[in-house]
Amino acid sequence: MFDLDNYLPYLINRVGVRMSESFSARLAEFGISLGMWRVLAALNHNSDQRLSDLARLTSIEVSTLSRLVGTMQRKKLVSRARSGQDARAIRVELTREGADLTRRLVPIAQAIERTALKAISTKDAALLRRRLKGMYDNFNRP
Amino acid sequence: MFDLDNYLPYLINRVGVRMSESFSARLAEFGISLGMWRVLAALNHNSDQRLSDLARLTSIEVSTLSRLVGTMQRKKLVSRARSGQDARAIRVELTREGADLTRRLVPIAQAIERTALKAISTKDAALLRRRLKGMYDNFNRP
DNA sequence: TATTGTTATACTCTATAACTATA
DNA sequence: TATAGTTATAGAGTATAACAATA
C-alpha cells in the first residue's frame, strides 16, 4: 500500500508551498518576490558570487536567474560586472540599497522560521536541519 | 546575523526542488508530469474527491488544477462528474487506466522516498514526518 | 448573496536550444 | 572544443478576476 499521509516528498512539498505563500505575502509589501529574496539572501551569505554559483545556492534555473538578476539590477538591488579572473563569468554583488533591504527583510524571514518551528525543541530543530541537509545530498546531481 | 546554511525554509526549498527534479525525470518516462502524479496519488488516497478537496490535498491552485484535470481526463486517467449532493461540485475519480498507472508509479515514488531517507533511522524518519506535519499546520490559512 | 468550478489574462518559472564571448 | 552567461521560444504554474450554475 501507499500511505500518502506519511509520504515524505508529499509532506515536504506541502509545507514548502504553504511557507512560500506566507513569505511571499509579506515580501509583496516590499515590492519583491520570493525569488528576489532568495538572491538577496544568497548574496548576503556570500558576497560577490558568479551567476552559476548563485543559481546553485538559490535552486533557481540559470536562464530564469539571468533575467531575475537583470530585473534586480534595474531596481538597483544588485550590480553585475565581468570577473577579472575569468572574463566569461559575471560577478553579482549587492548594492548598498540591496544590502539595506536585505537587513530589513531578515527579521521577517526569521519570523517565518519561528512560525515553522513553533513548539519544536532546539534539539529537534537541529536534528531536522541535519536530516534535511542529508536528504539534499542524497539527491546530488550526476 | 542571518545564517543561510541553517535557515529552515532554505533547507526545505532546496531539498524539495532536488527531489522534484529527480522524480519528474522518472515520471517523464511514463508521459506524465509531477502535478499529474500528485493528482493520481491524492485520488489513490481518497477516491471520488471534489475538485476543491483535491486542490487542498495536492497543494495545486484551483484554476491550475481544473485545467490539469481536464488534460488528465483527455488522457483517460480520471473522470469528472457532477456531484449528486451538491450539483455545483465536481467529483473526480480515477479511471481503470488511471488506477493501473498509479499502481505502476508507486514503486518509483517509494524509491524516491528511500533515496531521501537513506541512512536515516526509522525513528528519526518518524520524527521528521511529525515535525513536517506540525510545521504545515503552523501555517494554516485564515 | 455565497460557493463551486471554468475560463481568460498577465506574469513568472522551467526546459531547451541558439547565440556571444571568452577559455 | 568547452564553459559562462544571455536571449528566444514553448509549455506549465500562479494570481486574479469575470463568468455560469447552483445553493
Side-chain angles (χ1 to χ4, degrees):
Chain A
M1 259 315 294
F2 182 73
D3 177 19
L4 187 61
D5 279 334
N6 287 299
Y7 183 55
L8 204 72
Y10 165 71
L11 297 175
I12 289 175
N13 179 64
R14 67 176 198 167
V15 74
V17 170
R18 273 282 174 89
M19 234 169 32
S20 296
E21 286 171 353
S22 204
F23 202 173
S24 291
R26 298 298 315 277
L27 291 173
E29 301 163 21
F30 296 83
I32 71 162
S33 67
L34 191 53
M36 292 179 194
W37 154 255
R38 287 188 181 129
V39 171
L40 293 177
L43 288 172
N44 179 63
H45 179 258
N46 263 3
S47 58
D48 191 15
Q49 293 185 70
R50 298 165 52 143
L51 193 77
S52 50
D53 297 326
L54 206 48
R56 213 169 348 88
L57 201 53
T58 57
S59 303
I60 296 171
E61 218 271 329
V62 181
S63 74
T64 303
L65 186 63
S66 177
R67 272 166 297 151
L68 182 59
V69 167
T71 304
M72 293 177 74
Q73 190 178 24
R74 262 168 266 129
K75 283 171 161 285
K76 314 281 189 204
L77 298 173
V78 301
S79 62
R80 275 195 279 204
R82 285 279 161 202
S83 168
Q85 290 95 323
D86 183 343
R88 292 171 302 182
I90 295 284
R91 297 181 306 118
V92 185
E93 271 182 310
L94 284 178
T95 60
R96 174 65 186 274
E97 284 148 279
D100 287 349
L101 177 58
T102 306
R103 239 186 313 282
R104 281 186 295 144
L105 294 177
V106 162
I108 295 171
Q110 287 168 333
I112 294 287
E113 189 180 44
R114 268 197 308 278
T115 299
L117 290 175
K118 190 164 57 189
I120 297 186
S121 70
T122 307
K123 196 179 149 198
D124 277 5
L127 178 65
L128 193 55
R129 290 186 173 98
R130 274 201 307 281
R131 292 320 181 207
L132 289 169
K133 287 180 205 178
M135 284 171 53
Y136 176 74
D137 293 335
N138 290 343
F139 284 102
N140 251 331
R141 292 219 186 77
Chain B
M1 260 316 294
F2 182 73
D3 176 19
L4 187 61
D5 280 334
N6 286 300
Y7 183 55
L8 205 71
Y10 165 72
L11 297 175
I12 289 176
N13 178 65
R14 66 176 201 168
V15 74
V17 169
R18 273 281 173 91
M19 236 170 30
S20 296
E21 285 171 354
S22 204
F23 202 173
S24 291
R26 297 297 314 276
L27 291 173
E29 300 163 22
F30 294 83
I32 70 162
S33 67
L34 191 54
M36 292 180 193
W37 154 255
R38 287 187 180 130
V39 171
L40 294 176
L43 288 171
N44 179 64
H45 179 258
N46 264 2
S47 58
D48 191 15
Q49 294 185 71
R50 298 164 51 141
L51 194 76
S52 50
D53 297 327
L54 206 50
R56 214 169 347 87
L57 202 52
T58 56
S59 304
I60 296 172
E61 218 271 327
V62 181
S63 75
T64 304
L65 186 62
S66 177
R67 274 166 297 155
L68 182 59
V69 167
T71 304
M72 293 177 74
Q73 190 178 25
R74 263 167 265 129
K75 281 170 160 286
K76 314 282 189 204
L77 297 173
V78 300
S79 63
R80 273 195 280 203
R82 284 277 159 204
S83 167
Q85 290 97 323
D86 184 342
R88 291 171 302 183
I90 294 284
R91 296 183 305 117
V92 185
E93 272 182 309
L94 284 178
T95 60
R96 175 65 187 276
E97 285 147 278
D100 287 349
L101 178 57
T102 307
R103 241 185 312 283
R104 282 187 292 143
L105 296 177
V106 163
I108 294 171
Q110 288 168 333
I112 294 287
E113 189 179 44
R114 268 197 307 280
T115 299
L117 290 174
K118 191 164 55 186
I120 297 187
S121 72
T122 306
K123 197 179 149 197
D124 277 4
L127 178 65
L128 192 55
R129 290 187 175 97
R130 276 201 304 281
R131 293 321 183 205
L132 289 170
K133 287 180 206 180
M135 284 172 51
Y136 176 74
D137 294 335
N138 289 343
F139 283 101
N140 251 333
R141 290 216 187 80

